[in-house]
Amino acid sequence: MTIVYDQLLGLDLPELEASYTGRDSMLYALSTGMGADPMDENELPFVVENGAYAGKLKALPSQATVLCWDDSWGFKSGMNMVMVVHGEQHITMHKPLAPEGRILAKTRIKEAYDKGAGKGAVVLVETVIRDAVSKEPLVTLVSTVFARGDGGFGAPANQPPPPKPHVIPDRAPDITISARTQLNQALFYRLCGDRNPLHADPHFAKAAGFPRPILHGLCTYGHAVRAVVKGACDHDPARVAHIQARFTAPVFPGETIATDIWRDGNTVSFRARLEERGLVALDHGKVELR
């Protein structure tokens, strides 16, 4: 199979319906580093729903990436899925994410860019999540997929230009928040939806060229969002209106993610580094605050 531009953009993918509960929100928060210190009362409202925290449960905005998780569209796209990697993730919050709800999710292929034969392709995948009762939009997700084996399909010359990455300020960060991931972090995170064996099966990981399973990129993303909510939002996830970042290096469970944060009014820039290896795992990060 190969990409056929008109067929790819014309894919009619079914709208999915799903429900999520407070338990799902707490599992996601735990899976992205919340509650690592069980005495941190700023984080407990993300992971505890009773006692003194009854009625105060919060959801991280990045949890939207695992609601209605379904990557089956890729196998209908014509892309060589063995060569596909997640390039960027954008999240636009039309309203704060509730800790539980019933939702509808509609995915479409927004655009595809041909980088040339042997150079791959860039595909933008948009998912709009709506409240299943009111039908109001809650979140719009845009994933940038780098299809390394699919260049040369011939995209139209008049297509809109691809989005440019956010530029990180050229100064020292205003704050850095470090958190060590757990050795079993990916085993928790996979229960949020993404069961790719690359993140759990040592034999599969070795066949893919890694010495051991790697952390989900969106788990790293969630760790960075947790740091921004902590360091720039005073633990109030409702302040987040938009998030974007580019994936630049895989993380091994057990490594320490240091999130550098720059604050310029309602624009927050961030970059996630791996302290042990000195690599940048997420770059060009931006959060727009309400």
Side-chain angles (χ1 to χ4, degrees):
M1 296 179 69
T2 187
I3 289 178
V4 178
Y5 180 82
D6 291 339
Q7 292 180 13
L8 179 61
L9 267 66
L11 275 179
D12 185 14
L13 302 168
E15 188 169 52
L16 303 177
E17 182 172 356
S19 296
Y20 68 102
T21 67
R23 182 181 184 278
D24 296 315
S25 295
M26 289 185 284
L27 175 61
Y28 178 82
L30 288 167
S31 299
T32 52
M34 280 289 185
D37 178 0
M39 295 300 290
D40 186 343
E41 295 199 42
N42 290 313
E43 294 195 354
L44 288 179
F46 292 87
V47 296
V48 177
E49 85 294 358
N50 57 13
Y53 304 96
K56 300 179 181 179
L57 189 62
K58 302 178 182 179
L60 280 170
S62 51
Q63 185 183 345
T65 60
V66 300
L67 301 180
C68 275
W69 175 264
D70 180 23
D71 56 2
S72 62
W73 65 267
F75 298 95
K76 305 173 185 177
S77 66
M79 295 187 297
N80 179 353
M81 294 302 290
V82 176
M83 298 291 287
V84 164
V85 295
H86 199 163
E88 296 184 21
Q89 181 65 57
H90 294 223
I91 305 173
T92 299
M93 308 296 299
H94 303 297
K95 55 176 56 180
L97 189 66
E100 58 184 27
R102 189 159 61 90
I103 57 172
L104 301 169
K106 177 68 172 175
T107 295
R108 71 180 180 101
I109 308 303
K110 187 176 182 180
E111 191 54 86
Y113 300 93
D114 186 357
K115 297 176 70 68
K119 298 180 180 180
V122 175
V123 179
L124 304 186
V125 185
E126 179 188 83
T127 299
V128 176
I129 298 175
R130 299 185 295 145
D131 183 273
V133 177
S134 70
K135 304 299 190 291
E136 293 180 337
L138 301 175
V139 186
T140 297
L141 308 173
V142 177
S143 300
T144 300
V145 174
F146 182 33
R148 296 173 293 166
D150 292 290
F153 62 88
N158 61 346
Q159 66 184 163
K164 294 183 178 180
H166 173 65
V167 178
I168 298 294
D170 186 18
R171 67 175 193 269
D174 298 318
I175 185 173
T176 297
I177 295 178
S178 296
R180 184 177 181 273
T181 61
Q182 299 181 110
L183 289 172
N184 59 356
Q185 196 83 61
L187 299 181
F188 280 105
Y189 186 85
R190 69 188 296 271
L191 299 180
C192 297
D194 186 351
R195 303 294 180 94
N196 187 333
L198 177 62
H199 310 294
D201 183 342
H203 304 286
F204 191 97
K206 286 182 180 179
F210 296 100
R212 54 195 174 100
I214 61 174
L215 200 61
H216 304 68
L218 283 174
C219 184
T220 302
Y221 191 97
H223 271 79
V225 171
R226 165 192 171 266
V228 172
V229 168
K230 180 183 181 73
C233 302
D234 195 25
H235 295 92
D236 181 6
R239 295 198 60 199
V240 174
H242 178 81
I243 313 165
Q244 65 185 67
R246 176 174 292 183
F247 302 98
T248 51
V251 178
F252 292 105
E255 291 189 301
T256 303
I257 300 173
T259 304
D260 296 326
I261 298 170
W262 293 260
R263 180 74 183 269
D264 294 289
N266 284 333
T267 298
V268 177
S269 303
F270 68 94
R271 173 184 289 144
R273 297 177 289 105
L274 302 178
E275 290 189 350
E276 291 82 359
R277 290 187 288 150
L279 298 177
V280 174
L282 288 175
D283 207 353
H284 304 290
K286 180 174 77 168
V287 172
E288 293 289 351
L289 303 180
R290 300 186 193 280

